[in-house]
Amino acid sequence: MQRPTNPFNRSSSPVEDDYHPGPLLVEWYEQYLVDQDVTAFVRLTSRRYFVGTLQRIALEGHRSSRRAAILALGRLADYTANNIVGCALADSDRGVRTLAEQAICRLWMRVGTAADQRMLVAIEEQLDDREYDRAATLAAKLIQQTPWIAQAWYQRGAAYYQLGQYEAAVRDCNQALEINAYHFQAASIMGHAYLSQGSLLSALESFRRTLRLNPSMEEVRAQVIRLQRTLKQDKPE
């Protein structure tokens, strides 16, 4: 994967290229762990670091630096940081993975215009309220206007799944993954939709894909184990 470049030159960047940014960022992160004041952490970080610098730390820093960078990106970055945070979902450190899962879901809602983002929030609220027909209708409207927003396809797919329209759910979640290859939630919905249709092998493949994107999803891992056992038992001698 191509590493991102910092778009800021040395004269404009608050962090010089020959300065190791980890300790200061880690100091603020450790203070956050004590007081749980994420607002203060974000305020301090935003004054000192550009998003491009945080992306570089997320890729190359030590464990604590990576954790701090991912936490900051989840609050300061937009969808352009999707690849960096998506890679962090499979980081060797569990803390980084946990923070990345929280951060990337925020990034998925920060795409498009301000009006698009408000619509995404409105759809999410309908899903939370179990107003699935309304959510599907709103998502369809957004998809018509901005078909390149993966989150809208996922949201409609999630609504379709809850409505029992499994083929439509698979179709929309597959489209979400075509646009955003890190969308583990879409892969998971696909797995559940296939499972509801009785397509065990397709469900297994979707759940495995989910785990490749986000290895921390233990419920999905349990599904994989169950499906592997079921398919092995059903396999003719």
Side-chain angles (χ1 to χ4, degrees):
M1 183 185 69
Q2 184 177 3
R3 291 178 177 175
T5 57
N6 190 336
F8 303 97
N9 58 34
R10 288 178 60 89
S11 61
S12 63
S13 173
V15 179
E16 298 292 351
D17 290 345
D18 59 354
Y19 172 72
H20 189 280
L24 188 58
L25 184 63
V26 169
E27 178 182 333
W28 294 334
Y29 176 69
E30 290 176 346
Q31 183 60 43
Y32 156 74
L33 294 178
V34 173
D35 57 32
Q36 293 296 298
D37 189 348
V38 70
T39 301
F41 169 78
V42 171
R43 183 177 64 252
L44 290 168
T45 303
S46 65
R47 290 175 179 173
R48 183 70 178 180
Y49 298 98
F50 283 112
V51 167
T53 305
L54 293 169
Q55 289 178 332
R56 186 173 71 246
I57 298 170
L59 282 176
E60 302 173 349
H62 296 294
R63 181 183 63 184
S64 294
S65 298
R66 297 199 309 277
R67 290 181 180 182
I70 292 296
L71 176 63
L73 287 170
R75 300 285 176 163
L76 296 172
D78 58 19
Y79 187 76
T80 57
N82 181 62
N83 289 349
I84 299 298
V85 182
C87 288
L89 289 168
D91 193 274
S92 59
D93 177 64
R94 182 177 181 179
V96 173
R97 296 196 302 269
T98 299
L99 290 166
E101 182 174 332
Q102 298 167 357
I104 203 166
C105 291
R106 292 175 178 270
L107 300 186
W108 292 343
M109 302 292 284
R110 298 184 195 140
V111 60
T113 65
D116 296 332
Q117 294 175 23
R118 288 194 296 270
M119 181 68 85
L120 289 173
V121 172
I123 299 167
E124 201 67 26
E125 289 174 348
Q126 296 300 311
L127 289 171
D128 290 342
D129 292 340
R130 301 185 180 183
E131 297 290 343
Y132 302 122
D133 283 311
R134 177 64 174 162
T137 299
L138 290 176
K141 181 179 179 180
L142 184 56
I143 289 169
Q144 185 176 16
Q145 296 171 349
T146 53
W148 47 270
I149 295 182
Q151 187 68 3
W153 289 95
Y154 160 73
Q155 288 174 325
R156 191 172 72 170
Y160 282 153
Y161 171 74
Q162 295 294 340
L163 292 168
Q165 300 179 33
Y166 301 125
E167 290 184 8
V170 168
R171 182 183 64 244
D172 278 4
C173 287
N174 185 65
Q175 183 61 35
L177 282 160
E178 286 293 319
I179 300 169
N180 177 8
Y182 292 101
H183 210 305
F184 61 88
Q185 291 179 335
S188 178
I189 290 290
M190 283 181 63
H192 286 291
Y194 279 129
L195 193 60
S196 297
Q197 290 177 304
S199 302
L200 302 189
L201 186 57
S202 295
L204 178 60
E205 291 173 351
S206 293
F207 287 138
R208 283 174 171 168
R209 182 178 187 178
T210 305
L211 286 179
R212 287 196 297 271
L213 296 174
N214 186 354
S216 297
M217 300 186 73
E218 294 304 323
E219 291 184 4
V220 173
R221 191 178 305 280
Q223 287 279 16
V224 167
I225 293 171
R226 283 194 292 268
L227 283 169
Q228 288 177 157
R229 289 174 178 172
T230 299
L231 290 168
K232 184 177 180 180
Q233 292 171 356
D234 294 343
K235 186 176 181 180
E237 297 293 338

